[in-house]
Structures are given as C-alpha cells and as structure tokens.
Amino acid sequence: METTLRGVGVSHGVAIGEVRHMGTAVLEPPARQITADEAGREQGRARQAVSAVAADLIARGQLAGGEAQHVLEAQAMIAEDPELMADVDRRIAVGSTAERGVYDAFAAYRDLLAGAGEYMAGRVADLDDVRNRIVARLLGVPMPGVPDSDEPYVLIARDLAPADTALLDPALVLGFVTEEGGPTSHSAILARALGVPAIVALPGAGEIAEGTVIAVDGSTGDLFVEPSDEKRAELEAAAAERKAALAASSGPGATSDGHKVPLLANVGGPADVPAAVEAGAEGVGLFRTEFLFLDDSKKAPSEEKQVESYRKVLEAFPEGRVVVRVLDAGADKPLDFLTPADEPNPALGVRGLRSLLDHPDVLRTQLTALAKAAEGLPVYLEVMAPMVADRTDAKAFADACREAGLKAKFGAMVEIPSAALRARSILQEVEFLSLGTNDLAQYAFAADRQVGAVSRLQDPWQPALLDLIAMSAEAAKAEGKSCGVCGEAASDPLLACVLTGLGVTSLSMGAASIPYVRATLAKYTLAQCERAAAAARAADSAEEARVAAQAVLSGE
C-alpha cells in the first residue's frame, strides 16, 4: 500500500528502485589491557593505520575530484591531527590496545566538538567516520559501506560519510535517502555534484525493509513507499518534462520577459571549472580559496603558488565575472598558523575576515596574488570578504584591497544578521554584497547546518531568512549596487525565482544546478517572481512559503 514520507529534498530528479541499506558502522572495540612491553608495538600499529586511512581518503578524493576532493582532504587532516595522535599514544602507554586507544581518544575529541557549539558539533559525523575507518583497519575487518549489488538500487543510510558519497556510482545508485544531515551537509553538496536525486533529514527511513520499492523525488523531498502505477507514471512524466526543459534551455539566465539574472558557479578550485563551463555558467559567483591553504595547516601557501592557481580559474572565464572569497578560516576550517587554539566557541569567535585582520600579512599576500593573477586578463575580477559584521569590517577590508594595489571591485558577504540589518551602511565602503545563505540561516536561527534535528530552521524558505535577503537586496538597489546569492539557496529552481523577485541581481550555485535554475526562471516574468516573493514572505513557515510561492507561479 502506497505511503508517503517527507524529508528535505537536496538534489533534483526522481529515482525509483529497490531499497538497499548502508552497512552498520564499526562498533566499540573490546577493552583489553596490554603490558608495557607491548606499548611500542601498539603505538606503531596505530600510526600505520592512521597513515593508511589518511592515504585512502586522499586517494578517494583524487578519484572523485572537485568538491569531494576538498572534503576528503580535510578528513585526512583530521586523521593525522598531531594532538589526537598524541592522545592515542598516551592511552596506549598506560595499557590500551591500539584500537581501543584510537576509539577512546576520538571519543574524547568528539565530546569536545559536541560541546563547542552547534557549528562544531556538526563535524562529529566526519570525525566518527575517520575513527571507524581506523578502528576497522586495526581490527582487520572491512569498513562497512555501500552495499554490493549488480542491480541499480536506492540507498538508505543513517547518514553518508563524504568518503562514501564521493565515490557513489550513479549507474548503480539511483538515489539516496538519509535519516540525518541537512540541506547544506557534505552529503547534500556531493549529491548535487554527482547529479544523484537525494533526500536528507528523513527520520524513520531506516525502518523501510530491504528490497522494498520506493520512489524518491529529490526536488520536493517526498518519498513514496511502494508507489502505485499511477504515482510512478506521474513522477516519470514530471521527470521527463524537466529533462525536456533542460535540453531546451541555454544561454544567459533571464526571466521570460527578459529580466537578466546572471547564473554563476560556485567553485572550490581549478578542478571544478570544467563542469561550470559545461553547464553554461556565466562566471564564478563564489571562488572558495581554502583549498590552497588546507594543503598545509602549518603555513600559508606562497604568493607564487596562489597566483598559479587563481590564474587557472580566471583564464576559464574571459569577459566573465569571477568573484573570489578571500580565505575563510576558523570554526570548521581551523589552520594552525591562523586560528586561535583555545576559543570556547570557534563559530562565534575569530573566523573569516577577523582572522585575516589579525594576520594582515596573510591577507596582503592573498590580495597581491589575486592582483598578479588577473594581470593582462579580460576578466571582471571581484573580491569579497567573509563574515563581515559592520561598516568597520567593510572599511578595513576595502583599505587592505587598495593597499595591495588590487584593481577589482571589493565586496562583503552577508552571513551575519547584523550585516543584513545594516547593509546600506556597509555599502558605503564596498561595491557589492553577496549573500551566504547557509551561514546567514545558521546564525539567524542558531541552527547548525550539519545537524539534522534542526534542519527545518536551516531551510532557506524560512520567511525570516527571506526578510533578511530582501533587506540586503533593497539596500543594494537604493545604493545602485549589486546583491547576489552564493549560498545553496540559489540551487533550488523555485526559490531562485523568489530570490529574483526579492531583488537579488545574480545567483551562484553548484554547476549541476545551473540548467535547472535557468529553465525554471525562463518560464516566469519578473512580475510573477515578485508576487511569488511577496507570498512567501507573508507565510509563517518554510513549508507554507514554498506552497504559497508555487501557487502564485502556477497561477492557482
């Protein structure tokens, strides 16, 4: 009998197939005391296992490329964290086996993260995955993971670690559903990059029996258990219609009455550029530069290395707009040479622009490298600062850009509610705004984007978040300046129409979402988008906002 469940749709498309469940995670290893003579051998076993797991994560990342590579390289750094390894060695020295020492050391660090505020707590899933891989290797058992199957299936898991998500085979894994996670979790981001329909934050999905036929609609978040023939036909028809619309859509982003909305790509480095170009991106709306700095947490990359990497991206978009975000370190991206080690709540401490202003040499080197990388290229370079709180921050960043001789537009990211509330003041110092809706929602609702239990508050359809976006767009319009969105909100085609109606001037997203957004925008006039935006803001919940906007656009 057909039943319907609802989670959070995070990757477009429809998947219909039999359920296969993810293998169970590694359990707690047995406690066994070792003698002092055995300690050296056990410490060596632990180090070998850690090195092997780190190497495996890096290899998986290189195979996957793009966004997945950056995520997995960050996990490898977790595995080889020197403080964690020192704790493992101490535990083994007083009688623990290698596997028990690893398990207990990671458990202690896990407790620290869980108690360090919601933002850091969201990294617990990544930490658990690294621990499980090390313990499995030490126990000599295979790491539970994606099931073996000769036939295509829909994968259900409590959550998916980046190492598993990155290497999913779209020919076999038709789609996936997780009980935890959120719309901006690593699994969601990687699902969009793979083009696999996906739903997250669906409690109870794990209770669906192996082999049950389900239908997953990654656009709406609906999961249909044992769908009827009629429902299958309905979903397949809708999917075919979307596919036809995508094939017919090309060129610059615009509404049906010709209002231009440039569609840009979010990239994490040169490896992401080919997909962006293939999708028809009109430029880059968010060039994350952290990938260069995560290679070595002990010191910043040289100016020469930065110039080389930046130029590869700039060259790919002649006459296009490339918006570069300077280093956003801190919180979940700590760097030894930049990030304070003793902050009680790193998400609310010295991160983003605050870190760079405390280390002006790092900021100066990056800005100088960007200036040199753009020399002689017909690209429209724009540089923006993360975590801008007020006009003082904006002025400090603009002054640093001018001192570095940067011939580019200077901008500020709106990720902190204070920046949205005082956007017009900030625009006295900078030339554009870019809304990072992931962090803006996180700070507006005190809801970590990695924690499934608060995923409803991370929903970009929340009317309060739409209010903050509207305030920023209205301020930019009043000042005659631009205001784009580079958060995951832009990847939702329906929400892209609402954002356009709110006055947002450009949309930046993962490359895989660009065709969907382009095709949807082309169906509606600017006036329809404005009416849909007004209806969404008048709602009292994210779900009501979505329904209201859809009703306006469908003419109901």
Side-chain angles (χ1 to χ4, degrees):
M1 181 181 185
E2 180 181 311
T3 57
T4 305
L5 303 174
R6 169 158 290 186
V8 179
V10 295
S11 184
H12 307 296
V14 171
I16 302 174
E18 292 188 359
V19 167
R20 295 287 182 274
H21 286 279
M22 193 77 168
T24 305
V26 174
L27 299 177
E28 182 176 349
R32 179 176 68 83
Q33 284 293 111
I34 62 171
T35 65
D37 292 341
E38 296 175 291
R41 183 195 66 191
E42 291 296 292
Q43 288 169 340
R45 286 182 63 229
R47 283 191 288 273
Q48 288 174 356
V50 165
S51 296
V53 166
D56 178 61
L57 289 168
I58 290 171
R60 284 170 177 258
Q62 290 172 342
L63 280 174
E67 183 75 37
Q69 184 169 0
H70 312 317
V71 172
L72 294 178
E73 286 175 351
Q75 273 200 298
M77 288 176 63
I78 292 175
E80 296 186 300
D81 182 271
E83 289 188 18
L84 261 174
M85 281 310 302
D87 192 18
V88 171
D89 282 342
R90 283 193 294 271
R91 293 173 187 275
I92 293 173
V94 294
S96 290
T97 60
E99 49 267 33
R100 188 70 207 191
V102 167
Y103 185 89
D104 289 340
F106 272 74
Y109 191 41
R110 188 186 200 278
D111 290 342
L112 285 174
L113 284 184
E118 293 291 341
Y119 196 88
M120 292 299 285
R123 301 301 172 264
V124 165
D126 288 356
L127 187 71
D128 286 349
D129 181 60
V130 173
R131 177 204 64 202
N132 289 345
R133 291 177 185 279
I134 298 170
V135 170
R137 183 171 287 273
L138 286 165
L139 291 174
V141 300
M143 174 67 189
V146 178
D148 291 327
S149 176
D150 295 328
E151 298 295 326
Y153 59 91
V154 179
L155 180 64
I156 291 182
R158 181 180 62 80
D159 202 353
L160 279 173
D164 294 315
T165 312
L167 296 183
L168 290 179
D169 181 356
L172 280 177
V173 181
L174 302 172
F176 70 75
V177 181
T178 65
E179 295 188 273
E180 299 181 0
T184 57
S185 65
H186 285 151
S187 293
I189 292 169
L190 296 179
R192 285 189 284 272
L194 288 167
V196 176
I199 297 174
V200 301
L202 203 166
E207 298 172 14
I208 300 173
E210 187 98 359
T212 302
V213 175
I214 64 172
V216 172
D217 189 334
S219 300
T220 65
D222 290 329
L223 183 154
F224 304 93
V225 181
E226 297 181 343
S228 64
D229 290 342
E230 291 78 12
K231 178 57 70 176
R232 286 194 191 205
E234 177 188 328
L235 290 169
E236 287 169 349
E241 183 181 340
R242 283 195 290 262
K243 187 174 181 180
L246 292 180
S249 173
S250 62
T255 58
S256 63
D257 57 342
H259 175 72
K260 293 182 179 180
V261 187
L263 302 181
L264 312 172
N266 295 342
V267 304
D272 295 341
V273 168
V277 172
E278 185 179 351
E282 298 169 58
V284 173
L286 172 62
F287 178 11
R288 305 180 184 95
T289 57
E290 290 76 42
F291 76 102
L292 274 171
F293 293 81
L294 292 173
D295 286 345
D296 184 351
S297 68
K298 303 295 183 185
K299 65 178 188 298
S302 67
E303 180 182 300
E304 293 73 19
K305 182 177 181 180
Q306 292 188 54
V307 170
E308 180 184 359
S309 293
Y310 300 151
R311 195 169 179 89
K312 287 178 183 176
V313 175
L314 297 177
E315 287 175 337
F317 295 95
E319 305 294 337
R321 176 186 179 201
V322 176
V323 184
V324 180
R325 181 180 71 190
V326 294
L327 176 62
D328 184 14
D332 63 328
K333 293 170 286 195
L335 295 171
D336 292 347
F337 66 88
L338 200 68
T339 309
D342 55 352
E343 288 188 299
N345 191 338
L348 301 179
V350 183
R351 62 165 294 200
L353 179 61
R354 299 168 187 174
S355 293
L356 293 174
L357 294 178
D358 280 352
H359 297 80
D361 54 324
V362 175
L363 177 59
R364 189 183 312 109
T365 299
Q366 184 169 27
L367 294 174
T368 302
L370 284 166
K372 290 183 177 179
E375 284 179 2
L377 296 180
V379 69
Y380 296 97
L381 175 64
E382 301 184 9
V383 182
M384 61 186 182
M387 301 299 292
V388 171
D390 57 15
R391 183 172 178 173
T392 300
D393 280 350
K395 183 179 187 305
F397 178 66
D399 288 346
C401 289
R402 282 188 283 267
E403 289 169 11
L406 192 62
K407 292 179 174 58
K409 285 188 175 181
F410 319 140
M413 291 198 71
V414 178
E415 302 164 286
I416 303 172
S418 64
L421 293 167
R422 302 289 294 171
R424 197 158 182 181
S425 171
I426 287 171
L427 283 165
Q428 304 311 303
E429 304 294 343
V430 296
E431 298 171 84
F432 69 93
L433 299 177
S434 183
L435 289 145
T437 52
N438 304 347
D439 269 324
L440 185 57
Q442 176 167 257
Y443 288 119
F445 294 102
D448 187 272
R449 63 197 200 186
Q450 298 288 335
V451 179
V454 294
S455 62
R456 76 171 186 86
L457 296 172
Q458 262 292 330
D459 192 323
W461 281 95
Q462 282 286 355
L465 181 62
L466 299 181
D467 288 343
L468 292 171
I469 294 170
M471 293 176 71
S472 303
E474 289 162 5
K477 183 177 181 180
E479 293 295 327
K481 296 179 179 179
S482 63
C483 177
V485 166
C486 64
E488 291 300 317
S491 65
D492 179 335
L494 181 61
L495 185 52
C497 295
V498 168
L499 295 172
T500 299
L502 292 175
V504 166
T505 56
S506 65
L507 300 167
S508 189
M509 64 209 76
S513 298
I514 290 175
Y516 290 92
V517 172
R518 182 193 293 120
T520 304
L521 267 178
K523 292 165 60 176
Y524 306 109
T525 65
L526 176 59
Q528 285 176 299
C529 292
E530 289 172 341
R531 288 197 295 273
R537 288 184 69 189
D540 289 322
S541 71
E543 181 59 26
E544 289 175 10
R546 185 183 291 106
V547 170
Q550 181 66 71
V552 169
L553 293 177
S554 59
E556 296 176 9

